[in-house]
């Protein structure tokens, strides 16, 4: 009998431990995971991505051209998306967040908090890159700010390049990670590869930024603002084109597309 009493006591203790959380506890956890945690993931991911990206430019060897930054940016982005993507969607880029919102992958309420988190992450990443770099290398690389465009005659080509390069990145995100018909578990690597390909192709034309947060952080750290607007206007125009025109009207699935839905 005493054994049965102990067993019953243990059973009751176990039941007490497994007690369902209260409604208030569930709401607090849900609120944190829906609103706060994604922004923290975007801040952390942006800081890591931009730290690696800036450092790859600052420490780039003279004989490697754009290969080292292309591989560093692309591989870092793929790894970080694979790690944090299930928390926030793995944008780490204000233009990508805009395209994701327009194509149904992000609520409008979260767009501005994502932007703030990404820009803060960009500042942190660029500041850390500056902190670990020698002063000579940092300033020789202008703090990894974008300096490819040096005169007004280059502006049009650089702007068009930023639009097209960012379109490829935004398509990789929207179609690989959001669109139900085409999304794939390989999306993190496809998105990372798109960044690598873009930098290899357009690094000498515009710098291949594709990310206002990546432009903003090092621009603040190095106080270099020459032709900086290109790296905001180009990516955001690309996000509008991909999110509205392509995903919503042409190549999105039935859930996303606004026209010709069928039955």
């Amino acid at each position: 009998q005493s054994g049965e009493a102990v067993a019953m006591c243990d059973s009751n203790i176990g039941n007490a431990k497994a007690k369902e959380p209260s409604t208030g506890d569930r709401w607090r956890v849900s609120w944190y995971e829906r609103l706060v945690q994604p922004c923290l993931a975007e801040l952390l991911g942006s800081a890591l991505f931009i730290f690696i990206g800036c450092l790859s430019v600052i420490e780039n060897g003279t004989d490697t051209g754009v290969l080292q930054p292309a591989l560093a940016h692309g591989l870092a982005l793929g790894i970080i998306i694979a790690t944090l993507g299930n928390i926030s969607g793995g944008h780490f880029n204000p233009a990508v967040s805009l395209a994701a919102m327009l194509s149904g992958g992000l609520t409008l309420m979260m767009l501005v908090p994502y932007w703030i988190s990404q820009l803060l992450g960009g500042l942190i990443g660029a500041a850390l890159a500056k902190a670990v770099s020698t002063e000579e290398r940092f300033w020789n690389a202008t703090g990894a700010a974008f300096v490819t465009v040096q005169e007004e005659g280059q502006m049009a080509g650089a702007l068009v390049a930023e639009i097209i390069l960012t379109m490829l990145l935004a398509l990789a995100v929207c179609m690989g990670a959001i669109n139900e018909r085409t999304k794939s578990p390989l999306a993190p690597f496809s998105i990372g590869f798109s960044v690598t390909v873009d930098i290899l192709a357009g690094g000498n034309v515009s710098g291949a930024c594709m990310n206002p947060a990546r432009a903003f952080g090092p621009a603040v750290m190095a106080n270099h603002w020459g032709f900086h607007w290109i790296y905001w206007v180009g990516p955001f125009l690309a996000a509008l084109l991909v999110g509205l025109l392509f995903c919503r009207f042409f190549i999105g699935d039935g859930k996303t597309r606004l026209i010709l839905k069928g039955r």
Side-chain angles (χ1 to χ4, degrees):
Q1 264 190 337
S2 61
E4 290 178 5
V6 171
M8 288 179 65
C9 183
D10 288 343
S11 175
N12 290 334
I13 292 171
N15 288 338
K17 287 183 179 178
K19 187 174 68 174
E20 286 291 319
S22 67
T23 302
D25 289 340
R26 284 198 301 269
W27 185 86
R28 280 192 290 271
V29 170
S30 174
W31 175 83
Y32 174 76
E33 291 186 349
R34 285 187 301 108
L35 303 178
V36 178
Q37 202 175 51
C39 292
L40 293 176
E42 285 295 308
L43 188 149
L44 174 62
S46 298
L48 290 172
F49 170 63
I50 292 167
F51 169 74
I52 295 294
C54 288
L55 203 60
S56 72
V57 174
I58 294 167
E59 300 296 329
N60 192 20
T62 56
D63 56 344
T64 58
V66 297
L67 181 61
Q68 179 171 313
L71 290 174
H73 281 83
L75 292 172
L77 185 59
I79 292 167
I80 297 167
I81 292 173
T83 305
L84 299 175
N86 285 337
I87 298 175
S88 68
H91 301 168
F92 317 124
N93 181 337
V96 167
S97 291
L98 178 60
M101 188 275 293
L102 292 172
S103 58
L106 181 70
T107 62
L108 178 60
M109 179 183 71
M110 294 299 292
L111 183 61
V112 172
Y114 267 42
W115 284 351
I116 293 170
S117 301
Q118 290 155 356
L119 292 174
L120 286 175
L123 284 171
I124 293 169
L128 290 173
K130 183 177 183 179
V132 303
S133 303
T134 63
E135 188 173 355
E136 181 183 7
R137 279 190 174 274
F138 180 85
W139 290 113
N140 282 345
T142 324
F146 289 88
V147 296
T148 308
V149 182
Q150 295 290 330
E151 54 189 40
E152 291 186 2
Q154 296 175 275
M155 286 194 309
L159 180 60
V160 172
E162 283 297 308
I163 293 171
I164 296 172
L165 297 174
T166 310
M167 282 174 62
L168 176 61
L169 170 59
L171 274 172
V173 173
C174 292
M175 302 306 291
I178 297 173
N179 193 68
E180 289 293 337
R181 280 179 60 193
T182 56
K183 70 180 182 180
S184 163
L186 296 176
F189 306 101
S190 299
I191 296 164
F193 289 154
S194 73
V195 169
T196 296
V197 168
D198 279 348
I199 296 174
L200 289 173
N204 291 326
V205 178
S206 66
C209 175
M210 307 164 281
N211 185 340
R214 169 66 179 83
F216 179 69
V220 172
M221 290 300 115
N223 194 28
H224 179 85
W225 301 98
F227 302 101
H228 183 74
W229 62 270
I230 292 172
Y231 305 107
W232 289 75
V233 174
F236 277 127
L237 284 176
L240 290 171
L241 285 170
V242 170
L244 284 179
L245 189 62
F246 292 127
C247 293
R248 285 295 187 180
F249 285 94
F250 294 118
I251 60 176
D253 57 23
K255 182 180 176 183
T256 303
R257 206 168 57 249
L258 296 178
I259 60 171
L260 302 174
K261 286 178 171 287
R263 293 188 180 182

